Amino acid sequence: MELFKAAKEAMSMRSKINDMDKKLKATVLDYEFDGIKIKINAKTEFLAIDLPEDLLKEKKEKIEKTLLNAIQKAAEKSQKVMAEEAKAITAGMKIPGM
């Protein structure tokens, strides 16, 4: 009976993870850094990037550095939302890849 119970719990957890995955994909975050506007979902999928005209007039190195910083900060924000959602769904259980 323990094996049946474990299988049932695993199926329930799989369903919860699938629901969480859908919720994360639908959660769109807006992030702005030095005028760069980024739309990213909570699965760290980038949806849009808007660069201000004045940034495009800067030197290539400055544009690259500013854009890289903006992308990194947006990804961090997305990952925090993902971690909080995973923590709520799994009640703190450690799941590989999450």
Side-chain angles (χ1 to χ4, degrees):
M1 284 311 239
E2 287 298 315
L3 185 59
F4 179 73
K5 183 179 177 183
K8 188 175 178 181
E9 287 176 5
M11 288 180 63
S12 174
M13 183 57 70
R14 175 177 279 170
S15 175
K16 288 179 183 180
I17 290 173
N18 286 339
D19 290 344
M20 179 185 72
D21 190 57
K22 289 176 187 174
K23 183 177 180 181
L24 292 173
K25 194 168 187 116
T27 302
V28 177
L29 308 168
D30 291 310
Y31 186 77
E32 187 170 346
F33 180 85
D34 282 355
I36 297 173
K37 296 176 184 175
I38 297 177
K39 281 194 181 294
I40 184 171
N41 67 20
K43 285 188 52 99
T44 315
E45 296 172 337
F46 290 86
L47 307 173
I49 296 178
D50 180 36
L51 303 176
E53 289 295 324
D54 61 324
L55 178 63
L56 297 175
K57 296 175 185 173
E58 297 290 338
K59 290 186 178 185
K60 180 180 182 276
E61 293 80 21
K62 179 173 175 149
I63 295 170
E64 290 172 342
K65 183 178 179 180
T66 305
L67 184 57
L68 182 61
N69 284 332
I71 289 170
Q72 288 172 335
K73 298 291 184 184
E76 286 173 14
K77 182 178 179 180
S78 170
Q79 290 169 355
K80 285 180 184 177
V81 172
M82 183 189 303
E84 287 299 314
E85 186 65 26
K87 185 177 176 183
I89 294 290
T90 63
M93 289 175 32
K94 292 284 184 187
I95 298 174
M98 298 288 297

